[in-house]
Amino acid sequence: MDTLSDVNQEIAALRTPLRRFSVPLSATRRGARLARLLAAEHLQSWGLPLDPARLIVAELAANAAVHGKVPGRSFRLALTVTACGALRIEVTDAKGESVPRRRDASPDPAESGYGLLLVEELADRWGVLAGPVPCKTVWAELDLGARG
């Protein structure tokens, strides 16, 4: 039987990134486009399928450039592949008070747009993390083993 220490080490190993990419980008439409292009380049070099990850990056980066923009502040794109077989996409912007709402909180796309509905449909999980102040991170995860 495993000791608690062994179990904790196994959990830590599963959460350890196998691959990680992170870059700050200008909070502009051009920065959002560059986020999509850089994500595609890294996914391809890692031997991962481009879609749906590229579509999720495009939407989250566009949201950061349009809705999360603070003059003079950038947003950050991060891609992480973990040992447990998940790709985590994170986009952090400087407008923490502007938090996207889930579909059940705003069922009318006219209110919140279609972009996050797309993210919700394509991702296995997604959510929002507050902080560090004044920032927020919108994240989405894809289970790589379940994709062809």
Side-chain angles (χ1 to χ4, degrees), residues 33-123:
R33 180 175 180 270
L34 185 55
R36 181 179 49 82
L37 293 172
L38 288 170
E41 181 180 310
H42 279 82
L43 293 168
Q44 202 165 33
S45 74
W46 294 344
L48 298 176
L50 296 181
D51 293 319
R54 176 173 50 181
L55 300 171
I56 293 170
V57 168
E59 179 54 36
L60 296 182
N63 282 352
V66 174
H67 304 293
K69 184 175 185 171
V70 172
R73 300 289 307 269
S74 60
F75 72 90
R76 176 170 293 279
L77 167 68
L79 305 174
T80 306
V81 178
T82 63
C84 61
L87 170 66
R88 185 174 176 99
I89 300 162
E90 297 179 335
V91 174
T92 303
D93 66 50
K95 203 165 190 181
E97 72 276 4
S98 177
V99 178
R101 292 183 283 182
R102 300 187 75 80
R103 181 191 318 192
D104 53 352
S106 177
D108 182 7
E111 257 183 64
S112 61
Y114 289 97
L116 288 175
L117 291 176
L118 178 70
V119 171
E120 189 167 328
E121 289 301 316
L122 294 174

